Amino acid sequence: MRTSLCDRLGIDLPIVGFTPSEHVAAAISRAGGLGVLGCVRFNDAAELDAVLSWMDENTGGKPYGVDIVMPAKIPAEGTSVDLAKLIPQEHRDFVERTLRDLAVPPLPDDTDERAGVLGWLHSVARSHVEVALKHPIRLIANALGSPPVDVIEQCHAKGVPVAALAGKAEHAVRHVDNGVDIVVAQGYEAGGHTGEIASMVLLPEVVDAVGDRVPVLAAGGIGSGRQVAAALALGASGVWMGSFWLATEEYLQTMGESEAMQRALVAAGSSDTVRTRIYTGKPARLLKTRWTEAWASPDAPEPLPMPLQNLLVSHAHNRIHHAADPTVVSMPVGQIVGRMDRVRPVADVIAELVSGYEETLSRLDKTR
Amino acid sequence: MRTSLCDRLGIDLPIVGFTPSEHVAAAISRAGGLGVLGCVRFNDAAELDAVLSWMDENTGGKPYGVDIVMPAKIPAEGTSVDLAKLIPQEHRDFVERTLRDLAVPPLPDDTDERAGVLGWLHSVARSHVEVALKHPIRLIANALGSPPVDVIEQCHAKGVPVAALAGKAEHAVRHVDNGVDIVVAQGYEAGGHTGEIASMVLLPEVVDAVGDRVPVLAAGGIGSGRQVAAALALGASGVWMGSFWLATEEYLQTMGESEAMQRALVAAGSSDTVRTRIYTGKPARLLKTRWTEAWASPDAPEPLPMPLQNLLVSHAHNRIHHAADPTVVSMPVGQIVGRMDRVRPVADVIAELVSGYEETLSRLDKTR
């Protein structure tokens, strides 16, 4: 399992793993892939700096990358307090009522609550880029498409390639025109923010549109060697996996209180996700739980636009996480959740991807 | 490009092509695949009988199959008049108003109008099976899942295998338990009635669930050799293609008045489809046009349940077809419509699938 992407990024396997957990990211890099650490959880750039220093010590000298969330156009910004004024009372009431109906307790007084939304802001994302570029990162990916051209140039000045997600071929073309070096083609089946075109159709379209200029990674629906082989058959130079790492042992090393979330994911089938605007205001695929069902009821308000929706539900997410009830989880995950049937070490996942890939190629040989 | 399916069905290539056109079906069979003729357009069993006799003369001795639409459970039936009484006036008014808004003219008085809905009825589908079994067919497929067990037994008594579509692994298991011989795993990206799980995830799930008992075909998103290779990598024994044949020269030989529809399909991109209940009452993917957009407007009524919705819009479909306006087409088609960029002979499509498949396998060889 070796493509041109491996030489480009200095990795052994064309497997890029996006994760908010530094323990998972480091394990992916040590196993021969490229661990990409999601930065959106870091509201404080100094905290990101400390975690990247930890990465520098714990990847065994293997390359790693970071993932930011930065729109190419700068949206209206403000402090958390300014934005909060734009949230209608009807929405606040619905969230409170729903948490009560779902028996989600308030947070204990001494909880160190995450503020939410800040990591999605342009100013914060720029500070993430600046901090990350002081570390020996090998990739900066932007989960919202192209970063602004000046940020791309800033990365290139440090010799760091830039990846951007795309759900349509025309978006991929725009990214590459902006200077993006690697396109991640993300299909409908993916977790988190995702478009409507499924990977089987999207991936060859993106490859035909930009594949002679940049490598294309397949995101969405990947969790086995067969699926890696399918992605490469469709023209991808590698795969971008996000959901699958949520059910790894290393994930708990970073997010110690996530047992209920992992139990929910392991129990879920591929039909147990929903694409909805309730997480951030943009369509994103989440695990289907009593929380998402409440938002699908006839009396639920329309989700607010980005970034207000995330601000609205941020405190609720903290309460839900603390409640540790697998039936009331709020978690982005793709349809591949149906294959996440146990919690395993990262290295086991990657070993199975490699062996499954080789078995698939042997099987295809017999069709000639 | 050869799998166990080829021996099973007596074909050269593991390509099964579903089409309402006998000219297309015969051309697929002559080119080495299995042409499967959709029967739902035949309200009169004698008409189907005549067309199958034509098939017997025009497939060059190659095998072919038929596709029926028959639920495993028998729904409420009635004559077209009985059912018509169940359609609310509000719905009729909306259809009339929309046709007027879209400048769709009435049918000329001498038009031989198709009655609609009848082909979806259980009694009619059973008569299709009986007629088909008098011909040397090699497959009966059911687009609505398992046929009733007695129909499966009727086919088996004649040595004809039965295929059934499935959008979830649990449906596939039920089909095989009922005696179905081939499962068609149909992903979200497919045209017509389709579920929510995309092929990249659905196909390996169905293969894991029933692949040791029956062959699994991949439906949805297939229109190139790369995609056939991806489907086989995911574990399919072959592919089931429907949409792609709509843009063939042979299609016009059967459906002479479909130039506007073909123009619309050739112009459409992969984002230009919508999954909606407006065609039959069950979620089906259609080309996005001013007709589907009208049904998505806030003042549109909720689509009726099956089979009432098809009865409601059947006359409108006739008027729309007669109007020959590419912006007001009502046509089931999958996301692969984005790759349908010209009208070609069936044999050209199949030759390109084969050469693309071989190129893909050569490319994958280099990743070892």
Side-chain angles (χ1 to χ4, degrees):
Chain A
M1 194 199 286
R2 199 171 171 84
T3 71
S4 60
L5 185 80
C6 298
D7 301 323
R8 177 74 172 260
L9 297 176
I11 52 182
D12 298 325
L13 300 168
I15 297 168
V16 181
F18 161 74
T19 169
S21 156
E22 62 271 22
H23 288 92
V24 173
I28 293 166
S29 289
R30 288 197 306 270
L34 188 81
V36 172
L37 183 73
C39 296
V40 79
R41 81 172 219 251
F42 301 102
N43 288 327
D44 177 358
E47 195 191 348
L48 173 62
D49 195 34
V51 169
L52 293 184
S53 295
W54 182 92
M55 289 285 290
D56 297 337
E57 301 295 318
N58 286 278
T59 52
K62 300 294 187 78
Y64 72 91
V66 299
D67 178 276
I68 54 168
V69 179
M70 181 186 282
K73 288 183 206 149
I74 300 172
E77 287 214 22
T79 66
S80 149
V81 175
D82 291 337
L83 290 167
K85 289 183 184 159
L86 301 174
I87 297 177
Q89 190 60 39
E90 177 204 358
H91 284 75
R92 297 188 185 279
D93 292 346
F94 172 78
V95 168
E96 269 307 310
R97 190 168 71 243
T98 302
L99 291 172
R100 200 167 55 237
D101 290 350
L102 298 177
V104 176
L107 290 177
D109 288 343
D110 60 345
T111 310
D112 178 22
E113 186 164 6
R114 288 189 50 217
V117 93
L118 295 182
W120 304 89
L121 294 183
H122 217 271
S123 50
V124 177
R126 278 184 181 262
S127 74
H128 289 160
V129 172
E130 278 172 26
V131 164
L133 287 176
K134 292 179 185 154
H135 293 265
I137 58 168
R138 290 292 282 268
L139 186 73
I140 287 195
N142 181 11
L144 276 190
S146 301
V149 171
D150 71 293
V151 172
I152 296 175
E153 287 168 355
Q154 193 185 353
C155 298
H156 286 176
K158 294 273 191 175
V160 176
V162 176
L165 270 70
K168 292 186 179 189
E170 55 260 44
H171 297 170
V173 171
R174 199 188 311 147
H175 296 344
V176 177
D177 288 345
N178 284 345
V180 160
D181 307 279
I182 296 173
V183 166
V184 182
Q186 174 160 301
Y188 169 82
E189 53 273 73
H193 293 136
T194 192
E196 292 187 20
I197 311 173
S199 292
M200 183 70 89
V201 171
L202 177 70
L203 198 45
E205 281 192 349
V206 172
V207 169
D208 287 350
V210 300
D212 55 343
R213 298 163 71 192
V214 303
V216 176
L217 304 187
I222 314 281
S224 71
R226 279 178 285 179
Q227 288 158 325
V228 176
L232 268 53
L234 292 170
S237 300
V239 296
W240 170 280
M241 291 168 59
S243 302
F244 219 70
W245 317 109
L246 295 171
T248 58
E249 291 174 5
E250 288 86 346
Y251 190 81
L252 279 189
Q253 292 174 15
T254 307
M255 320 279 182
E257 295 176 352
S258 297
E259 284 100 344
M261 184 274 285
Q262 287 194 331
R263 273 209 307 281
L265 296 181
V266 165
S270 56
S271 298
D272 296 326
T273 71
V274 60
R275 187 169 168 269
T276 167
R277 297 202 301 112
I278 69 170
Y279 202 81
T280 65
K282 283 186 188 289
R285 187 175 300 285
L286 307 183
L287 185 68
K288 199 186 284 177
T289 63
R290 292 197 296 144
W291 170 250
T292 62
E293 293 295 288
W295 280 92
S297 76
D299 68 329
E302 277 295 299
L304 300 171
M306 202 172 193
L308 298 183
Q309 180 68 18
N310 187 252
L311 191 62
L312 168 68
V313 295
S314 170
H315 174 69
H317 286 172
N318 286 325
R319 282 176 62 176
I320 285 170
H321 191 70
H322 187 81
D325 176 353
T327 72
V328 196
V329 164
S330 178
M331 189 70 209
V333 73
Q335 292 183 334
I336 195 64
V337 69
R339 191 165 288 276
M340 292 158 59
D341 54 2
R342 62 190 191 280
V343 176
R344 290 183 288 175
V346 165
D348 282 12
V349 172
I350 291 190
E352 200 175 298
L353 292 173
V354 171
S355 65
Y357 183 82
E358 287 164 4
E359 283 162 23
T360 301
L361 260 54
S362 301
R363 185 160 47 73
L364 288 178
D365 274 342
K366 296 185 188 123
T367 67
R368 300 202 212 218
Chain B
M1 195 200 286
R2 197 168 174 85
T3 71
S4 59
L5 185 80
C6 297
D7 302 322
R8 177 74 172 259
L9 296 176
I11 52 183
D12 297 327
L13 300 168
I15 297 168
V16 181
F18 161 75
T19 170
S21 156
E22 61 271 22
H23 287 92
V24 174
I28 294 167
S29 289
R30 288 196 306 269
L34 188 81
V36 172
L37 183 73
C39 295
V40 79
R41 82 171 218 252
F42 301 103
N43 289 326
D44 177 357
E47 195 190 347
L48 173 62
D49 195 34
V51 170
L52 293 183
S53 295
W54 182 92
M55 288 285 289
D56 297 337
E57 300 296 318
N58 287 277
T59 51
K62 300 292 187 78
Y64 73 91
V66 298
D67 178 277
I68 54 168
V69 179
M70 181 186 281
K73 288 184 206 149
I74 301 171
E77 287 213 21
T79 67
S80 148
V81 174
D82 291 336
L83 290 168
K85 288 184 185 161
L86 301 174
I87 297 178
Q89 190 59 38
E90 176 204 358
H91 284 74
R92 298 187 183 281
D93 292 346
F94 171 78
V95 168
E96 269 307 311
R97 190 169 71 242
T98 301
L99 291 172
R100 199 168 55 236
D101 291 349
L102 299 178
V104 176
L107 289 177
D109 288 343
D110 59 345
T111 310
D112 178 20
E113 186 163 9
R114 288 189 50 217
V117 94
L118 294 182
W120 304 88
L121 294 183
H122 217 271
S123 50
V124 178
R126 277 182 182 262
S127 74
H128 289 160
V129 172
E130 277 173 28
V131 165
L133 287 176
K134 291 178 185 154
H135 292 265
I137 58 169
R138 290 291 281 267
L139 185 73
I140 287 196
N142 181 9
L144 277 189
S146 301
V149 171
D150 71 293
V151 173
I152 296 176
E153 287 168 354
Q154 194 185 352
C155 298
H156 286 176
K158 293 273 191 174
V160 175
V162 176
L165 270 70
K168 293 186 178 188
E170 56 259 43
H171 297 171
V173 170
R174 199 188 311 147
H175 296 345
V176 177
D177 288 347
N178 283 348
V180 161
D181 306 279
I182 295 173
V183 167
V184 182
Q186 174 160 304
Y188 170 82
E189 53 272 73
H193 293 135
T194 191
E196 292 186 18
I197 311 174
S199 292
M200 184 69 89
V201 170
L202 177 69
L203 198 46
E205 281 192 349
V206 171
V207 169
D208 287 351
V210 301
D212 56 345
R213 298 163 70 191
V214 303
V216 175
L217 304 187
I222 313 280
S224 71
R226 281 177 283 178
Q227 289 158 324
V228 176
L232 268 51
L234 293 171
S237 299
V239 296
W240 171 281
M241 291 168 59
S243 302
F244 219 71
W245 317 110
L246 294 171
T248 58
E249 291 174 5
E250 288 86 345
Y251 189 81
L252 279 189
Q253 293 174 16
T254 308
M255 320 280 181
E257 295 175 352
S258 297
E259 285 100 343
M261 183 274 285
Q262 287 194 332
R263 273 210 305 283
L265 296 182
V266 164
S270 56
S271 298
D272 297 326
T273 71
V274 59
R275 188 169 167 269
T276 167
R277 296 202 301 111
I278 70 170
Y279 201 82
T280 65
K282 283 185 188 289
R285 186 177 300 285
L286 306 184
L287 186 69
K288 199 187 282 178
T289 64
R290 293 196 296 144
W291 171 249
T292 62
E293 293 295 289
W295 280 92
S297 75
D299 68 328
E302 276 294 299
L304 300 171
M306 201 172 195
L308 297 182
Q309 180 68 19
N310 187 252
L311 191 62
L312 168 68
V313 295
S314 170
H315 174 70
H317 286 172
N318 286 325
R319 281 176 61 177
I320 285 171
H321 190 70
H322 187 80
D325 177 352
T327 72
V328 196
V329 165
S330 179
M331 189 69 207
V333 73
Q335 293 183 332
I336 195 66
V337 69
R339 190 164 289 277
M340 292 157 58
D341 54 2
R342 62 191 191 279
V343 175
R344 290 183 288 176
V346 165
D348 282 13
V349 172
I350 291 189
E352 199 175 297
L353 292 173
V354 172
S355 64
Y357 182 83
E358 286 164 4
E359 284 162 21
T360 302
L361 261 53
S362 300
R363 185 160 46 74
L364 288 179
D365 274 343
K366 296 183 187 126
T367 66
R368 301 203 213 217

